Amino acid sequence: YKRQHPVTDGGGLDWQSRRLNALSAVSRPVPRILMVGALHGTATRAGLRLVAREVLPGLEQQFGLQGFELHIVGQGQLPEDVAALLQRPSVMLRGYVEDIDLEFFTADVFLVPMPITLGFRSRVITAFSYGVCGVIHAANQAGLPELVHEENALIARTGKGLASQIARAVSDTALADRIRRRARETYESLWTEEIAGGAIADELEAIYQGNSIA
């Protein structure tokens, strides 16, 4: 059930008003980019290396050294080979946070830089429930073919490309707002407990009926 696995609705049906309330309560002098994941995870570490070596230099060219903030949320230790590269004024190592809702709602961009081909990415779908503007490495389409560039996410295959898509999202508010709405719509159409849970229940019922007939 990799595509019909129900994912908890973090944003809620009132996600738009919750987002506006969160934005009004938080100071955001520069664009805020959010990255979420346990730092010890293999995929997260690969993404951090790409961020350190390619994405951050690209963003610094676009915005300047202090013209943006990258908030890295998640427990664990940074890989030694990238820790020094992430010692920049733009990088905020947040560790564990109590209110992840606030992080999703106040981020201009949700960054998923993991360049490793994996299966179902529940992290992405959870973020979609908040109506994020996701900038996502194309490798994640292998496990989530529902990701469509310029429809429900902005997708790139390189670190430089991810930086360029982040700059697009920040500069083009109409594009970012459209991506947010479509991300939420994608979540609602496929992964709510009612829809995805119902699909699983139907499949189990069919299996039960088949076994009963046999």
Side-chain angles (χ1 to χ4, degrees):
Y1 308 111
K2 72 174 184 177
R3 295 188 194 175
Q4 294 182 314
H5 174 68
V7 175
T8 301
D9 186 357
L13 296 177
D14 59 344
W15 68 274
Q16 290 174 304
S17 61
R18 291 181 66 197
R19 178 173 180 270
L20 290 175
N21 289 337
L23 289 173
S24 67
V26 175
S27 174
R28 295 160 63 252
V30 295
R32 179 181 294 205
I33 303 157
L34 174 66
M35 182 177 169
V36 175
L39 302 185
H40 59 269
T42 300
T44 301
R45 289 190 170 216
L48 286 168
R49 291 186 179 97
L50 185 66
V51 166
R53 296 168 182 168
E54 298 184 30
V55 178
L56 284 173
L59 291 174
E60 288 165 356
Q61 288 183 347
Q62 297 276 355
F63 299 106
L65 291 177
Q66 300 185 59
F68 66 97
E69 292 179 354
L70 172 63
H71 292 247
I72 300 176
V73 172
Q75 299 185 66
Q77 298 295 318
L78 287 173
E80 291 183 4
D81 60 323
V82 298
L85 295 176
L86 291 176
Q87 291 180 1
R88 288 166 146 96
S90 59
V91 177
M92 314 293 170
L93 296 174
R94 304 283 303 283
Y96 172 80
V97 298
E98 291 287 344
D99 189 354
I100 193 63
D101 294 3
L102 184 66
E103 303 302 323
F104 279 122
F105 282 135
T106 57
D108 293 284
V109 171
F110 176 64
L111 174 63
V112 184
M114 293 64 175
I116 298 175
T117 299
L118 295 171
F120 183 80
R121 304 290 287 160
S122 59
R123 179 185 317 172
V124 175
I125 302 309
T126 297
F128 273 25
S129 78
Y130 289 91
V132 299
C133 179
V135 173
I136 300 174
H137 194 285
N140 293 273
Q141 289 177 298
L144 282 174
E146 295 82 4
L147 295 175
V148 180
H149 179 53
E150 295 186 343
E151 278 293 320
N152 54 18
L154 296 174
I155 297 171
R157 296 186 178 277
T158 66
K160 183 178 180 180
L162 291 171
S164 296
Q165 295 302 328
I166 291 170
R168 285 185 69 201
V170 169
S171 63
D172 189 339
T173 56
L175 171 65
D177 286 343
R178 188 180 80 240
I179 296 295
R180 290 189 184 95
R181 289 194 301 271
R182 292 291 295 122
R184 174 66 196 188
E185 289 168 6
T186 301
Y187 167 78
E188 290 180 349
S189 68
L190 293 171
W191 288 293
T192 64
E193 294 179 357
E194 293 79 10
I195 291 176
I200 291 174
D202 290 344
E203 182 67 19
L204 292 174
E205 177 65 22
I207 292 171
Y208 173 77
Q209 292 295 340
N211 289 338
S212 296
I213 293 172

